[in-house]
Amino acid sequence: MNGLKDIEFSNDEFQCVVENDIAVITIKGNAFNSVSSIARNLDIIPLFDKVEDSSDVRGILVLNEKEAMSENAYIEFLKDIIGDEFNPDNPKDISRFVKNEIRAREITIMGNLLRKIISFQKIIISGISGDIVSPFFGISLATDFRFTTSDTNFILSHIKYRLHPSGALPFFLPSYLCQSEVTELLFRGTKLPAIELKKFGLINDFYDESEFMERVKAEAIQICKVSVNVVQSTKKLLYRFRNGLNEYLDLESEFMMR
């Protein structure tokens, strides 16, 4: 696909359909490959603007295929950009990225995506199936509501692979947890199951996989009934830290490129 022609579209990595006045985006394949693709920066980022401009679409629901943001997807991506030096069973400090241009695109597009989510003037909801690792854990915290399947784990796998946390995870986590809890999570590389995520307030709720799709879409319909004017003004008040996020993302990019 060459650019966005309509809100509804489909390619090998994403699908977007409008259901009950909500743009439902499904992430397919390996989300790390998608987020480091030039083409995806040219269609997914402008999608937010198209939804904002549409009087017929009240918000966005982001879903994913179960393995799209998992540790297996992360390992596949790291193998590609690091090369033979990377051994997931015995990780060592990463001295170089053999595909540095892909790493640079990943950094840039993730930053663009985070800025777009935070500035988005309608509701955006994450409906997460299966495990997700550190970068997408951070991105999910930028959305307004988060629902998961009951078997979902948020995995802080950056420690295992000797990478610092990305996806603005250290920026968003302190909004939910105290400093000691954040430090514990970021330095120990914890796996957080759905029940713990809800206890910490990191997700709104979780559902059994058999009813997940029906329940999360029903939640999205109810949430997005809020007046668009109320959503816009409330989000401006809630996300007044946007300038701080821009500064943070500049710093994260600097570290990730070392």
Side-chain angles (χ1 to χ4, degrees):
M1 174 183 171
N2 296 320
L4 261 178
K5 296 184 178 68
D6 304 295
I7 289 176
E8 294 193 318
F9 74 99
S10 182
N11 55 45
D12 291 340
E13 295 160 327
F14 292 94
Q15 174 182 294
C16 182
V17 296
V18 177
E19 299 180 12
N20 297 299
D21 300 333
I22 298 167
V24 181
I25 303 172
T26 302
I27 303 170
K28 302 187 286 185
N30 186 321
F32 290 94
N33 292 333
S34 302
V35 84
S36 58
S37 164
I38 293 174
R40 300 296 72 84
N41 198 38
L42 297 175
D43 57 22
I44 289 299
I45 300 297
L47 175 63
F48 288 84
D49 297 327
K50 285 192 170 283
V51 171
E52 271 188 344
D53 292 341
S54 173
S55 59
D56 298 321
V57 183
R58 301 183 66 86
I60 289 177
L61 170 62
V62 182
L63 305 172
N64 64 280
E65 291 182 345
K66 199 159 188 179
E67 285 293 314
M69 300 180 288
S70 67
E71 189 162 11
N72 287 336
Y74 199 29
I75 288 171
E76 179 185 305
F77 178 69
L78 291 176
K79 281 181 177 178
D80 185 42
I81 64 171
I82 296 169
D84 294 338
E85 182 180 336
F86 178 67
N87 179 355
D89 297 320
N90 184 27
K92 299 178 181 178
D93 287 340
I94 298 169
S95 60
R96 65 190 179 92
F97 295 98
V98 297
K99 295 185 177 179
N100 204 47
E101 74 285 357
I102 297 178
R103 177 65 164 172
R105 287 204 300 268
E106 176 207 7
I107 296 163
T108 301
I109 296 173
M110 269 195 182
N112 290 344
L113 186 57
L114 281 161
R115 291 183 177 96
K116 186 61 70 173
I117 290 172
I118 288 299
S119 64
F120 188 59
Q121 295 185 46
K122 295 182 179 179
I123 295 290
I124 180 165
I125 301 164
S126 296
I128 300 161
S129 302
D131 295 344
I132 68 171
V133 291
S134 301
F136 289 102
F137 182 1
I139 289 175
S140 75
L141 294 181
T143 62
D144 301 309
F145 294 85
R146 288 163 299 283
F147 300 94
T148 74
T149 52
S150 55
D151 63 346
T152 290
N153 297 285
F154 282 14
I155 306 171
L156 289 91
S157 54
H158 60 279
I159 287 292
K160 178 179 178 181
Y161 302 118
R162 304 196 177 203
L163 296 166
H164 75 75
S166 57
L169 186 57
F171 181 87
F172 289 112
L173 268 181
S175 297
Y176 297 88
L177 307 173
C178 69
Q179 187 67 26
S180 61
E181 290 173 321
V182 172
T183 303
E184 179 87 8
L185 291 175
L186 293 180
F187 282 106
R188 289 191 182 273
T190 309
K191 177 187 287 189
L192 293 171
I195 191 167
E196 291 292 313
L197 292 168
K198 186 175 180 182
K199 182 178 76 173
F200 286 141
L202 295 169
I203 62 173
N204 297 87
D205 213 341
F206 58 87
Y207 310 118
D208 288 341
E209 187 174 1
S210 61
E211 61 176 353
F212 175 74
M213 199 67 69
E214 179 182 351
R215 294 287 298 273
V216 77
K217 287 183 178 181
E219 287 283 0
I221 291 169
Q222 290 301 313
I223 291 167
C224 291
K225 285 181 178 178
V226 176
S227 160
V228 173
N229 289 334
V230 171
V231 171
Q232 290 176 351
S233 58
T234 302
K235 292 190 73 166
K236 284 180 181 178
L237 294 169
L238 274 174
Y239 302 130
R240 59 194 181 280
F241 54 72
R242 279 182 291 184
N243 289 338
L245 177 61
N246 287 330
E247 292 175 6
Y248 171 89
L249 290 172
D250 290 341
L251 181 62
E252 187 174 282
S253 295
E254 180 183 321
F255 280 123
M256 291 175 81
M257 290 305 295
R258 287 181 181 176

